[in-house]
Amino acid sequence: MNGLLDGDTPPPLEDRANILIVDDLPEKLLVFETILEDLGQNLVIVRSGSEALREVLRREFAVILMDVNMPGIDGLETARLIRGYRRSAHTPIIFVTAYADELQTSQGYSLGAVDYILSPVIPDVLRSKVRVFVDLYIMQQRLQQQALERIAIARAEAAQRAAEENTRRSIFLAQAGRVLADSLDADVGMRRLLALLVPRFAPRALLWLRDTGRGHERVLRCDAPAGQPETPIYTEGREDVLSEVLYSSTRDALEALAAPDARCDEGSPSGQAMPRCDTGHGVVLPLVTGERVLGGLLLCDPHRPPDWPTLEELAGRAAIAFENARLYGALQAEIIERRQAENSLLEASRRKDEFLAMLSHELRNPLAPIRNAVEVMRQLGAASDARLGQSISVTDRQVKHLTRLVDELLDVARISQGKIVLKTETVDLTELVSQGLEPVQPLIASQDQTLVVSMPEGPVWMRGDGARLIQVVTNLLHNAAKYTGPQGRIELTLSTNEAGIDLMVRDNGRGIEPSLLPHVFDLFEQGPRGLDRTQGGLGVGLTLVQRLVELHHGTVRAHSAGPGQGSEFHVHLPVPQQDEVPAASVAPALAAAAPGGWADKPRATPARACRVLVVDDNRDAAESMAVFLELAGFDTAVELDGPGAIQHCAIGTPRVVLLDIGLPGLDGYEVAQRIRALPAMADALLIALTGYGQMDDRRRAHEAGFDVHLVKPADPDAVVDLIEEWRLRDQAARETAPQTEAQADGQTDGQRDGDMRAVAS
């Protein structure tokens, strides 16, 4: 069958079968080789049983041709040993012998021999018998190879099907993940999940969520459409009978899953919680993230064995999406709640600031006539009566104290609204400290306290707002004086070093409680007070100190060893750059801008020819100011509303107008604009007298045509000085050489801007 004919090509080496020839006689081996070489197979020739055993261990043979009688290990023993190897247990063995009795033949066949050939051999018989076993071996090898190939093909096809299924599952799950994660609205996610399940996995499904992020549960059922082009049917809630039954089934199944004795499903890894359970209506898959059960998914009457790995993975991704939606909903609710709280706080803060500003304005209105009346009484010779003079002094001090409280309230409102703008210049802090001492001296003297001031002999320069820094010094000293008892000691120290400027105010008074110390700079914060409130105040002074110091890029700290141990306030301010230090002192300019500067300047005797119009809807304020100006030598008139003021200016043409902003009907801004429009009033002095003193109020006053902006209660002496200074400047301007109208207007505007800056400082 596989013998080679003349001209045939022998098979490749890798396709040839191995034939083992075992004989101790060389001549016989030569005969066997000659006879069998026509088969075209691989002949392996050995001369002993031991060599045969070695070859059997090395390779596999189609047939073994072996002599029975050999020295050493004979053929029968060699056959027995060959049969002991697993590889050669069934290899055909043909014995070649010159003599074979029945006993020997029986023994050979028992050892697995397939045939006996008597020697001398007949070539064709030997060749034919060997060929049969070679062909059988080759056929077995081919069948085995084909079986292996079929197994490999089957495995490849199964792997391909599994890969395709995994690919389809991965694509489906990826698309499902994108669809579910695309929206953070739980309601939208529920519809999308059910659309993925029906009718792909089941004709009906029910989804239940415990919390959608809006604080309530949600139940949604989806039924497959009756016709192909129709859309699925969604049923909200569980009002109908079917939804209630399915909902109850889902709840019961989830409780069973959560039970401690719940067993694992066959498809689940050992030791894990059961991922699903069967009910009378279908299969329930819980939606779980971590240890939190978000809800359940019920598949009713699946029409084929469900793809559980896909469903469980889909349930896991859906649970993550719903948890994100729940967290997002809770976050949105928290944000809305927080925003509402912030809006409430902002509204409360806005109302507080508006209240403080309005309170300051409303308090200034009665303060103005009181202060004017005090000055009128003083001018009318109250000094002749000691008791009346004392009463006037008391009233004056209390009005100034009340004015200070009102100013503090307004400053707090301004700082809270970010409306305080510093007028920064190079100032001498020693001069400012000296000016800050003046307002507190009466309080310190009244309590017989000792004030020790230590400052450098030379100037201490820095960049800042002089008026605001004076306010810092005054408030710190005022606070120390309030909380230090009679005959107490207050120390003020001003020093400089490379790190900056240090201002220290120390007292030996009541001290500060440890619990209060971190809050001493908080708004309206005060220490324990008795019912008599002998210290007074609103609890805003230190707040102003801290915020004004911070506006100057400095810091302020408070220290106290405890009650009865006194307190210490340390202000640190930055030093100016070298090029910011002036060559000469600017103290005179600061003195003019400081509080009380108007009253300290010598006043020239006014000319009665200067007519002044006072406009205020508060009759007491208007008339008291008019009386004081009359005592100062001015010709005065009073109007109580805007139209009357405009008409008076059109007829009487006063040179100076003191105009209240908060007039009823026509406000002061509109009145000022109309007065400025009158030709005879173009160069008159317009003074805004109002309870509103914020920067925006000053800007609007300037834009309306006012020259000066004064805040109630204005110092009557300062008003007299202001009018007299303007009158002298106006008189000097009229006596100079004639100028063009444009130059005169420009000078008037410049003077007006200068007055505005001087008063604002």
Side-chain angles (χ1 to χ4, degrees):
M1 183 176 179
N2 280 319
L4 295 179
L5 301 176
D6 293 340
D8 288 348
T9 302
L13 291 176
E14 61 273 12
D15 293 338
R16 296 180 184 183
N18 296 320
I19 301 174
L20 178 62
I21 303 174
V22 187
D23 202 308
D24 62 316
L25 298 178
E27 59 273 15
K28 292 178 65 178
L29 292 174
L30 180 61
V31 171
F32 291 149
E33 183 179 5
T34 302
I35 294 172
L36 297 177
E37 65 180 357
D38 291 342
L39 296 178
Q41 305 302 320
N42 183 32
L43 302 178
V44 179
I45 299 174
V46 297
R47 300 182 63 179
S48 65
S50 58
E51 292 182 8
L53 291 174
R54 282 196 299 270
E55 292 296 331
V56 168
L57 291 175
R58 292 174 55 190
R59 68 189 82 185
E60 188 176 357
F61 292 95
V63 62
I64 299 175
L65 190 64
M66 184 164 50
D67 186 19
V68 175
N69 299 313
M70 291 184 298
I73 304 175
D74 62 11
L76 295 177
E77 181 64 18
T78 302
R80 187 182 65 81
L81 294 175
I82 288 174
R83 287 289 180 251
Y85 297 143
R86 184 176 181 178
R87 176 186 290 178
S88 57
H90 302 288
T91 302
I93 299 175
I94 299 176
F95 286 112
V96 179
T97 181
Y99 171 78
D101 55 16
E102 292 183 358
L103 179 61
Q104 187 183 58
T105 303
S106 174
Q107 186 178 4
Y109 282 124
S110 67
L111 294 175
V114 296
D115 203 353
Y116 269 87
I117 297 179
L118 296 177
S119 179
V121 299
I122 301 173
D124 291 338
V125 173
L126 178 62
R127 188 182 299 111
S128 298
K129 290 187 177 183
V130 172
R131 180 186 291 119
V132 169
F133 292 109
V134 169
D135 291 344
L136 180 61
Y137 175 79
I138 292 175
M139 184 179 297
Q140 289 176 345
Q141 292 297 314
R142 289 177 178 174
L143 290 175
Q144 184 177 1
Q145 182 64 30
Q146 291 175 358
L148 292 176
E149 291 177 354
R150 285 194 296 272
I151 292 174
I153 292 173
R155 288 178 177 175
E157 290 176 349
Q160 182 178 1
R161 287 193 299 271
E164 291 175 352
E165 182 63 26
N166 288 335
T167 301
R168 286 193 297 270
R169 180 184 294 114
S170 299
I171 293 174
F172 170 75
L173 291 174
Q175 293 175 345
R178 285 195 299 270
V179 168
L180 293 174
D182 187 53
S183 175
L184 289 173
D185 188 334
D187 297 343
V188 175
M190 293 180 72
R191 285 182 172 268
R192 291 180 176 179
L193 176 60
L194 292 176
L196 293 170
L197 295 170
V198 177
R200 182 187 181 100
F201 294 97
R204 175 182 295 138
L206 181 134
L207 178 59
W208 167 63
L209 291 182
R210 286 181 170 176
D211 184 4
T212 62
R214 300 177 182 175
H216 62 276
E217 72 171 18
R218 178 83 185 279
V219 178
L220 183 64
R221 192 185 86 221
C222 180
D223 295 278
Q228 187 64 28
E230 299 179 10
T231 58
I233 302 171
Y234 293 94
T235 304
E236 298 276 353
R238 50 188 177 91
E239 288 77 10
D240 63 325
V241 177
L242 179 59
S243 292
E244 176 61 31
V245 171
L246 298 178
Y247 168 76
S248 301
S249 175
T250 306
R251 288 290 302 268
D252 294 342
L254 289 175
E255 291 179 1
L257 288 175
D261 57 348
R263 293 181 300 172
C264 295
D265 203 27
E266 294 182 358
S268 303
S270 177
Q272 295 183 2
M274 183 168 55
R276 60 182 183 269
C277 65
D278 295 327
T279 68
H281 301 281
V283 180
V284 174
L285 287 91
L287 302 178
V288 182
T289 56
E291 298 181 356
R292 179 182 176 84
V293 179
L294 303 180
L297 178 64
L298 175 65
L299 298 179
C300 303
D301 303 324
H303 41 65
R304 62 177 179 273
D307 182 2
W308 292 121
T310 302
L311 288 173
E312 290 173 359
E313 178 68 19
L314 180 60
R317 298 192 180 195
I320 294 174
F322 290 134
E323 177 67 5
N324 291 338
R326 186 190 68 82
L327 294 176
Y328 177 76
L331 179 61
Q332 289 295 103
E334 182 180 353
I335 290 175
I336 293 174
E337 183 178 350
R338 185 179 303 172
R339 189 171 298 164
Q340 291 174 346
E342 290 176 354
N343 291 338
S344 298
L345 291 175
L346 290 175
E347 179 65 17
S349 178
R350 184 186 66 80
R351 290 180 177 273
K352 177 204 69 177
D353 294 337
E354 289 181 353
F355 170 75
L356 291 178
M358 185 58 64
L359 178 64
S360 301
H361 173 263
E362 293 301 323
L363 289 177
R364 280 195 172 109
N365 281 331
L367 284 175
I370 294 174
R371 186 166 189 178
N372 294 340
V374 170
E375 293 299 330
V376 169
M377 287 187 290
R378 181 175 291 148
Q379 292 292 330
L380 289 176
S384 59
D385 188 334
R387 288 177 299 179
L388 180 58
Q390 182 181 5
S391 300
I392 292 175
S393 299
V394 170
T395 306
D396 187 35
R397 285 196 303 271
Q398 295 305 316
V399 168
K400 289 179 179 178
H401 177 63
L402 185 56
T403 302
R404 179 176 176 273
L405 296 180
V406 171
D407 289 338
E408 285 184 349
L409 281 175
L410 185 58
D411 282 340
V412 167
R414 290 174 180 170
I415 293 178
S416 299
Q417 297 172 352
K419 294 184 177 181
I420 284 224
V421 179
L422 300 182
K423 298 188 63 177
T424 305
E425 56 187 343
T426 303
V427 295
D428 178 8
L429 198 54
T430 59
E431 178 66 25
L432 299 182
V433 170
S434 299
Q435 296 180 31
L437 295 173
E438 295 177 5
V440 196
Q441 290 286 3
L443 177 61
I444 294 176
S446 66
Q447 300 187 98
D448 197 18
Q449 296 170 343
T450 301
L451 174 62
V452 180
V453 180
S454 175
M455 293 191 297
E457 295 182 358
V460 176
W461 302 109
M462 69 165 292
R463 294 287 295 174
D465 187 322
R468 293 301 180 180
L469 291 172
I470 291 173
Q471 191 175 4
V472 169
V473 176
T474 302
N475 283 8
L476 287 176
L477 289 173
H478 192 272
N479 181 78
K482 279 198 308 181
Y483 292 99
T484 301
Q487 300 179 351
R489 179 182 176 88
I490 302 173
E491 298 177 10
L492 185 149
T493 304
L494 178 65
S495 60
T496 61
N497 52 55
E498 295 181 356
I501 303 171
D502 294 304
L503 175 67
M504 195 88 66
V505 176
R506 184 184 296 110
D507 64 71
N508 62 351
R510 295 176 52 182
I512 305 174
E513 295 279 352
S515 59
L516 178 63
L517 190 59
H519 307 286
V520 292
F521 296 107
D522 293 351
L523 187 60
F524 304 130
E525 185 67 45
Q526 292 179 314
R529 298 276 183 110
L531 294 177
D532 56 353
R533 291 188 57 88
T534 54
Q535 289 81 19
L538 300 173
V540 299
L542 292 180
T543 304
L544 287 174
V545 168
Q546 183 189 50
R547 299 188 183 180
L548 290 175
V549 169
E550 290 174 349
L551 288 176
H552 284 85
H553 308 289
T555 58
V556 58
R557 293 182 290 106
H559 173 73
S560 176
Q565 302 297 315
S567 58
E568 178 182 301
F569 289 86
H570 179 198
V571 175
H572 179 78
L573 296 168
V575 294
Q577 300 296 327
Q578 189 63 31
D579 56 354
E580 295 177 342
V581 178
S585 173
V586 294
L590 289 171
W598 291 106
D600 295 336
K601 289 162 48 179
R603 189 188 319 142
T605 303
R608 295 183 178 274
C610 182
R611 301 188 59 195
V612 180
L613 174 64
V614 181
V615 185
D616 198 319
D617 60 319
N618 187 325
R619 181 181 296 274
D620 292 338
E623 292 181 350
S624 60
M625 178 60 74
V627 171
F628 184 83
L629 293 176
E630 285 183 0
L631 293 175
F634 296 106
D635 184 10
T636 62
V638 173
E639 290 290 346
L640 301 178
D641 56 28
I646 298 172
Q647 183 178 5
H648 186 99
C649 290
I651 300 174
T653 61
R655 296 299 297 152
V656 179
V657 180
L658 270 71
L659 180 58
D660 183 25
I661 298 295
L663 296 174
L666 202 63
D667 62 37
Y669 299 123
E670 182 67 23
V671 174
Q673 291 175 353
R674 297 192 184 185
I675 290 176
R676 281 294 181 203
L678 299 174
M681 298 296 294
D683 59 348
L685 175 63
L686 264 62
I687 302 174
L689 193 61
T690 174
Y692 296 104
Q694 301 184 14
M695 291 301 298
D696 186 60
D697 301 321
R698 299 178 185 273
R699 178 189 57 79
R700 292 184 61 190
H702 180 67
E703 293 175 352
F706 284 102
D707 298 290
V708 182
H709 183 281
L710 296 180
V711 179
K712 294 180 180 179
D715 184 355
D717 287 329
V719 175
V720 171
D721 289 339
L722 174 62
I723 297 174
E724 181 60 18
E725 182 180 347
W726 173 85
R727 189 192 65 79
L728 294 176
R729 188 169 60 244
D730 181 63
Q731 182 178 354
R734 293 176 181 275
E735 293 174 356
T736 58
Q739 300 174 341
T740 64
E741 184 177 354
Q743 290 174 334
D745 291 341
Q747 184 179 9
T748 302
D749 291 339
Q751 294 168 355
R752 189 176 306 152
D753 292 340
D755 291 336
M756 288 292 293
R757 289 191 296 271
V759 176
S761 65

